[in-house]
Amino acid sequence: MIISMRADATENQIGHICARIREFGYTVHTMPGEKRVVIGAIGSKYVEGTLEALEATPGVEKVVRISAPYKLVSREFRSSPSIVRVAGASFGGSVFPVIAGPCSVESEKQIMETAEGVKASGAMLLRGGAFKPRTSPYEFQGLEVEGLKLLARAGRRTGLGVVTELMSVEQLGVVVEHADMIQIGARNMQNFALLKAVGRQPRPVLLKRGLSATIRELLMSAEYIAAHGNTRIVLCERGIRTFETATRNTCDISAIPVLNELTHLPVILDPSHALGKRDLVPALARAAVAVGADGMIVEVHPRPEEALSDGAQSLTLPQFRAMMRELDPYIRLWAQPRELAASA
Ligand code: PEP
Ligand code: MN
């Protein structure tokens, strides 16, 4: 339920309603950034009459039930888009943030060259996997902690915040220490222990859609993170598995407007994993901007032919620069209504 307090509600009345909500067996989530105090009451079962009882409490203006199964991340809970800030970047505002970097951190030279190159072309965050989820146990598994250190060093040297994947709860401490944003990869979208763990820590989370996950399942996974205390979540469409084999996955571009309707969380696109082919990435990047994504994550490698993972879909540095330049007029159009909304 959402409890909107009257504009003139006193501190005492707010304290009292929070206590009442807890008595009814709900947890209290206050919503930041609203003009009046709005409280979310989240619980697994509803007892008849609770709504009326809460609505009759002094200082309360209105109580409504949230019909979506995901509560905290739903548009019903918060009608305005939420902004997630990560190092110098913001998702959900009027700047289009691009996260760029290699699939895997491979060496100091590789990550430094990439960081400098993508920064010069306008990337706002640096990506790089240190713990890699690979289909085959014989493939490169990532440089692990050494990779995290190299990534963090490249981030410090260029002033870019860094994004990296967390694969297990055991690695949480070391990943939090080195990363500005924690990626939960497609294969772990429903690893509920991992979702709870990132919900309990302070870093923002990039939650990627599972290979065969519905939009509702993606939102339920985001809800896990939010319910455990962390609402700094960015969702990512990265293609789903279908019968089509011409591309690595099938980009569900309509997931972006659908998610924009259902959740206040920012939503970005990963055209690299959706396509699997570097030459097609710029076309899908234009689509991301046109359809109203809140940013993008793209794989870039200084020498994709030498990459230890995902070389075929990684842009070269000149290709990344050209794509960013080409996107610029589209992004300016994209920004106009957002700037107007921000100044209204
Ligand atoms: C990645 O970002 O390199 C990655 C493994 O992504 P996904 O989880 O979307 O496959
Ligand atoms: Mn990859």
Side-chain angles (χ1 to χ4, degrees), residues 102-104 127 129 132-133 165 183-188 208-209 211 238 248 270 273 297 299 310 313:
C103 180
S104 306
R127 64 151 287 150
K132 293 302 303 178
E165 178 163 352
Q183 175 174 324
I184 299 296
R187 288 155 194 81
N188 274 312
K208 299 188 84 174
R209 181 178 181 183
L211 278 74
R238 45 77 73 209
R248 181 176 179 185
D270 173 348
H273 290 86
I297 179 165
E299 288 188 343
D310 288 350
Q313 68 195 34

Side-chain angles (χ1 to χ4, degrees), residues 61-78:
E61 179 149 299
K62 201 165 167 239
V63 181
V64 285
R65 285 184 72 182
I66 305 175
S67 55
Y70 36 88
K71 309 289 178 193
L72 298 168
V73 305
S74 73
R75 273 276 178 188
E76 292 168 76
F77 186 70
R78 186 190 158 106

Side-chain angles (χ1 to χ4, degrees), residues 4-301:
S4 307
M5 299 302 285
R6 292 163 48 111
D8 60 359
T10 64
E11 285 297 316
N12 259 345
Q13 289 173 330
I14 294 165
H16 178 63
I17 189 77
C18 290
R20 289 287 284 153
I21 292 168
R22 291 191 186 98
E23 276 169 28
F24 279 111
Y26 294 90
T27 55
V28 172
H29 295 261
T30 41
M31 260 180 279
E34 304 284 340
K35 287 186 190 78
R36 61 182 64 225
V37 173
V38 179
I39 303 158
I42 309 294
S44 56
K45 62 172 184 288
Y46 178 77
V47 176
E48 257 343 287
T50 308
L51 188 149
E52 291 75 13
L54 290 175
E55 207 160 45
T57 308
V60 173
E61 179 149 299
K62 201 165 167 239
V63 181
V64 285
R65 285 184 72 182
I66 305 175
S67 55
Y70 36 88
K71 309 289 178 193
L72 298 168
V73 305
S74 73
R75 273 276 178 188
E76 292 168 76
F77 186 70
R78 186 190 158 106
S79 56
S80 57
S82 49
I83 296 187
V84 177
R85 293 189 175 80
V86 185
S90 295
F91 296 86
S94 44
V95 173
F96 189 84
V98 176
I99 308 170
C103 180
S104 306
V105 178
E106 297 166 0
S107 67
E108 171 146 28
K109 181 170 183 285
Q110 173 242 20
I111 195 66
M112 277 309 307
E113 235 180 298
T114 314
E116 279 163 4
V118 299
K119 161 127 191 184
S121 301
M124 302 196 76
L125 295 168
L126 176 67
R127 64 151 287 150
F131 296 98
K132 293 302 303 178
R134 303 306 301 279
T135 302
S136 164
Y138 307 116
E139 287 171 333
F140 178 60
Q141 303 286 305
L143 295 181
E144 305 192 336
V145 176
E146 181 55 23
L148 289 177
K149 287 184 182 157
L150 294 176
L151 180 70
R153 199 177 303 152
R156 276 196 303 276
R157 256 190 241 166
T158 50
L160 293 173
V162 300
V163 185
T164 199
E165 178 163 352
L166 174 71
M167 290 221 302
S168 88
V169 178
E170 288 152 55
Q171 299 146 1
L172 183 69
V174 70
V175 169
V176 166
E177 191 186 321
H178 292 94
D180 297 288
M181 183 179 220
I182 300 178
Q183 175 174 324
I184 299 296
R187 288 155 194 81
N188 274 312
M189 190 204 82
Q190 285 189 317
N191 181 335
F192 300 113
L194 206 51
L195 298 175
K196 289 177 191 175
V198 293
R200 293 192 197 102
Q201 60 76 52
R203 296 271 186 258
V205 177
L206 176 62
L207 178 64
K208 299 188 84 174
R209 181 178 181 183
L211 278 74
S212 59
T214 63
I215 289 172
R216 187 175 187 269
E217 286 164 342
L218 172 62
L219 289 168
M220 291 310 291
S221 290
E223 186 75 11
Y224 258 90
I225 302 171
H228 286 82
N230 189 356
T231 50
R232 297 172 72 203
I233 307 163
V234 175
L235 303 175
C236 180
E237 165 61 38
R238 45 77 73 209
I240 50 175
R241 186 162 284 182
T242 68
F243 53 82
E244 183 53 72
T245 54
T247 48
R248 181 176 179 185
N249 291 287
T250 297
C251 179
D252 183 8
I253 197 78
S254 51
I256 291 166
V258 170
L259 284 164
N260 282 340
E261 203 171 77
L262 299 178
T263 178
H264 54 85
L265 297 176
V267 184
I268 68 169
L269 182 74
D270 173 348
S272 310
H273 290 86
L275 290 162
K277 293 177 181 172
R278 79 172 68 85
D279 291 344
L280 305 180
V281 167
L284 209 41
R286 290 195 297 274
V289 180
V291 85
D294 295 298
M296 218 165 40
I297 179 165
V298 186
E299 288 188 343
V300 181
H301 195 290

